[in-house]
């Protein structure tokens, strides 16, 4: 872990230096905010806590002068009959308009469910020294706490800003069928350019990422008393009938893994980024006295930008059809329950200033920055399809943070460094020569709604 946080070198702007120092002195306020956020269960699936989280965000951003509005994703876009998701898809937008260019600050508010193995309460912030443990601490509720700290510092120190911040608290990034930011983009509600906090606390130049889709495969048999299940023509055990299918999916896994991408891999990777197929979940059966009539398999497929989604999906469906051809009495249905499109090259005119801001907050040297992509996914592939190509990326993830794993955590030092980076980027006096809107007002197009294929609707 890099421990160089918050360089003490002055920025050349006295009001910015004062606000940076204010952040360092006021970190406990961010810790308190994070504790309240972690206590609201926004795990997806099911995604039932979005309204409660929006209520909390309303409370926290109102004193900062933000006017909030809620945008609900229509049920018809995201709800899958019998699928794992439930609850209302409530996205919150916070705006504070003064006529300056807009900077969107994007957060997905959902977390993955708490995995077995936590030795702490995942929905209660636990502090051990500098470490802050809790579900979503690094991915990505800690980033919200950092941004709120930066905005409070700007207000407390009277710091002039170059941008009007627009807060975007969005739903269903963790594998959802219709993420909230996709809906906002397709409704033309995004403005300016966007800083996406779904990344890492590293000197990284984001080069894009893979896409992801999740297929729910249901095998339907016939339930009878378990004692009658050995009689011809009686029960049909859906779990046992699934064994050929599980073998077929397992055989397909290495075939998929041979497909690699031209995206630059992370510096620590041992080879190129590769596609993946995983059996992510399997559910079936109720009790020992009953032949199970339903078995569900959740398949997760990560596909490279060079791959075609329709072809990748058809390959799995063909494997299912062939594997189940010799299973009379079993009905099979397949549903798409989650889809994130690949994110293409996200670079744009604002990157040099964001890189300078990261250096101001985390203390990174310019020669430490490296460009790499990821086999992990982002909901900004959908945003790019509406016309907004440039996406800045940051976050609190580190290899040791246990993101999506038991005992996920971030650190107070990283929250402070991220808050200082965001504050520097927002500040009018920081690297003004790197503000594209000052040098070329036409350099940053207004996002628009791009065409959609029928299969994307």
């Amino acid at each position: 872990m890099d421990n160089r946080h918050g360089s003490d070198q002055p920025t050349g702007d006295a009001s910015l230096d004062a606000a940076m120092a204010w952040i360092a002195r006021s970190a406990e306020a961010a810790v308190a905010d994070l504790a309240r956020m972690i206590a609201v269960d926004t795990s997806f699936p099911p995604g039932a806590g979005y309204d409660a989280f929006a209520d909390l965000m309303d409370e926290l951003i109102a004193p900062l002068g933000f006017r909030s509005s809620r945008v609900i994703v229509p049920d018809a876009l995201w709800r899958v009959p019998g699928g794992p998701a439930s609850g209302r898809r409530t996205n919150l937008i916070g705006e504070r308009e003064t006529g300056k260019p807009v900077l969107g600050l994007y957060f997905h508010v959902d977390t993955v469910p708490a995995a077995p193995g936590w030795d702490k309460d995942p929905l209660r912030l636990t502090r051990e020294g500098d470490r802050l443990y809790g579900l979503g601490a690094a991915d990505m509720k800690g980033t919200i706490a950092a941004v709120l700290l930066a905005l409070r510092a700007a207000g407390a120190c009277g710091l002039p800003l170059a941008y009007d911040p627009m807060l975007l608290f969005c739903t269903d990034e963790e594998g959802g069928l219709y993420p909230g930011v996709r809906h906002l983009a397709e409704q033309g509600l995004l403005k300016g350019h966007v800083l996406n906090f779904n990344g890492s606390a590293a000197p990284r130049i984001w080069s894009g990422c893979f896409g992801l889709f999740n297929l729910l495969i249901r095998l339907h048999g016939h339930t009878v008393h378990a004692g009658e299940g050995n009689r011809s023509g009686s029960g049909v055990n859906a779990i046992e009938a699934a064994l050929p299918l599980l073998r077929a999916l397992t055989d397909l896994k290495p075939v998929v893994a041979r497909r690699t991408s031209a995206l630059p891999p992370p510096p620590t990777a041992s080879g190129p980024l590769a596609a993946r197929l995983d059996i992510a979940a399997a559910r079936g059966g109720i009790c020992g006295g009953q032949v199970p009539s339903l078995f569900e398999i959740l398949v997760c497929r990560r596909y490279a930008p060079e791959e075609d989604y329709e072809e990748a999906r058809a390959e799995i469906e063909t494997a299912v059809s062939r594997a189940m051809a010799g299973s009379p009495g079993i009905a099979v249905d397949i549903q798409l329950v989650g889809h994130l499109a690949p994110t293409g090259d996200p670079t744009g005119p604002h990157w040099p200033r964001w890189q300078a801001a990261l250096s101001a907050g985390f203390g990174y040297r310019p020669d430490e920055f490296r460009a790499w992509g990821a086999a992990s996914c982002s909901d900004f592939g959908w945003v790019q399809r509406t016309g907004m190509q440039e996406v800045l990326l940051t976050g609190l993830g580190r290899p040791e943070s246990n993101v999506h794993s038991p005992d996920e955590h971030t650190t107070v030092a990283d929250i402070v460094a991220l808050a200082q980076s965001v504050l520097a980027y927002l500040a009018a006096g920081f690297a003004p020569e790197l503000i594209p809107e000052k040098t070329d007002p036409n350099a940053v197009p207004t996002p628009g709604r791009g065409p959609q294929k029928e299969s994307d609707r």
Side-chain angles (χ1 to χ4, degrees), residues 6-37:
S7 172
D8 293 329
Q9 296 298 316
T11 65
D13 182 312
S15 57
L16 175 56
D17 291 340
M20 293 284 226
W22 192 96
I23 285 174
R25 293 194 306 270
S26 307
E28 292 306 315
V31 175
D33 288 343
L34 180 56
R36 296 184 67 186
M37 287 184 251

Side-chain angles (χ1 to χ4, degrees), residues 106-108 138-140 143 173-174 195-200 204 206 340 376-380 392-397 403-404:
Y106 161 81
F107 317 91
H108 71 77
D139 181 25
M140 56 186 295
T143 69
E173 188 275 341
E174 299 289 5
L195 181 52
N196 178 348
F197 289 88
N198 199 25
S200 62
R204 175 188 182 188
W206 193 34
L340 300 175
S376 58
C377 307
S378 170
D379 40 11
F380 270 74
L392 304 175
L393 186 71
T394 189
L396 291 173
V403 170
H404 288 198

Side-chain angles (χ1 to χ4, degrees), residues 338-358:
H339 189 192
L340 300 175
T343 302
D345 183 2
T347 57
H350 295 88
W351 166 255
R353 192 163 185 270
W354 176 239
Q355 180 175 330
L358 281 173

Side-chain angles (χ1 to χ4, degrees), residues 48-56 70 72 88-90:
Y50 293 136
D51 278 318
F53 198 83
D55 290 342
L56 175 59
R70 301 190 183 201
I72 312 300
R88 194 164 67 159
R89 268 41 195 172
T90 301

Side-chain angles (χ1 to χ4, degrees), residues 105-173:
L105 299 163
Y106 161 81
F107 317 91
H108 71 77
V109 304
D110 55 323
T111 71
V112 296
W118 278 82
D119 60 10
K120 304 169 179 64
D121 184 346
L123 296 178
R124 179 178 178 274
L125 180 70
T126 300
R127 184 168 184 173
E128 294 181 358
D130 191 52
R131 291 189 175 190
L132 304 170
Y133 292 86
L135 188 61
D139 181 25
M140 56 186 295
K141 293 178 178 179
T143 69
I144 302 174
V147 169
L148 295 180
L149 183 61
L151 294 173
R152 290 193 189 113
C157 299
L159 182 68
L161 302 184
Y163 297 102
D164 284 338
M166 181 183 189
L167 304 175
L168 306 165
F169 303 103
C170 296
T171 59
D172 283 14
E173 188 275 341

